[in-house]
Amino acid sequence: MAPTYNISAFAALAGVSTRTLRYYDRIGLLHPAQVTAAGYRVYGAAEVDRLQQILFYRALEVPLADIAALLARPDFDRRTALSAHINALQARKQRLQLLIDTAQKSLAAMKGESTMTDNEKFKGFKQEMIDRNEAQYGSETRAAYGDAAVDAANKKLKDMPAAEFNE
């Protein structure tokens, strides 16, 4: 038999507050498996899995209303969602690593340990902009203009000199 949790134990397990769980229940995002006659909320395996999905989406900064819509879709598939979470988190990790590398190179250059071009100073920020645009408009622009045109535009932005980028 799968374990069940009262609201305090479930909140502690997931690292959220009981207030968050009550709010998720109030907005219809995550209901307890049952509410006892005394009014205690009880959560089971299905709620554990659902809260994990919610927290993955929250980590990716998806608004709660969008999460509710995604989870309510009749074609929602947990495996597909987990694969998408992995891809999105790996992409975020790569973007953050690029920004960390840029900051480390900038610090080394300030210390006189290396040199850094102006273009290198903004490489991470340009890639972050490209990734953000790709996430928001990528499918639409690729459908309208084709992969080659979008890839060429992204490359042009990446290679753009700092002065031209600032304009």
Side-chain angles (χ1 to χ4, degrees):
M1 184 169 153
T4 59
Y5 304 93
N6 66 28
I7 192 166
S8 296
F10 190 44
L13 173 72
V16 300
S17 68
T18 57
R19 183 176 178 218
T20 295
L21 293 174
R22 286 185 186 93
Y23 179 68
Y24 287 175
D25 184 19
R26 190 170 68 246
I27 66 171
L29 189 57
L30 175 68
H31 298 297
Q34 72 179 74
V35 178
T36 67
Y40 292 106
R41 297 160 193 256
V42 179
Y43 298 87
E47 292 74 33
V48 168
D49 291 344
R50 186 170 177 95
L51 182 57
Q52 183 192 44
Q53 286 299 318
I54 293 167
L55 296 179
F56 273 129
Y57 283 121
R58 291 301 294 146
L60 294 168
E61 301 175 5
V62 177
L64 290 176
D66 293 349
I67 295 171
L70 287 166
L71 295 178
R73 290 177 52 153
D75 63 342
F76 178 79
D77 177 67
R78 190 164 172 252
R79 286 181 193 207
T80 302
L82 287 169
S83 293
H85 296 323
I86 291 167
N87 292 337
L89 291 167
Q90 286 175 335
R92 177 173 284 178
K93 179 181 172 183
Q94 290 172 346
R95 288 191 304 271
L96 289 173
Q97 188 59 55
L98 183 56
L99 291 173
I100 290 167
D101 292 346
T102 301
Q104 288 174 332
K105 288 177 187 176
S106 295
L107 186 58
M110 287 177 66
K111 292 179 180 179
E113 298 168 355
S114 67
T115 59
M116 188 174 195
T117 67
D118 287 345
N119 280 342
E120 289 175 316
K121 291 178 182 178
F122 296 99
K123 181 179 178 183
F125 298 106
K126 290 177 183 176
Q127 186 61 51
E128 187 175 18
M129 179 189 303
I130 289 168
D131 292 342
R132 199 170 42 247
N133 286 341
E134 192 71 39
Q136 189 169 4
Y137 307 111
S139 58
E140 181 182 335
T141 55
R142 287 181 183 282
Y145 302 105
D147 289 338
V150 174
D151 291 342
N154 288 341
K155 182 175 178 359
K156 183 176 180 178
L157 177 61
K158 269 195 250 188
D159 298 339
M160 190 178 291
E164 188 177 336
F165 177 77
N166 289 334
E167 287 177 16

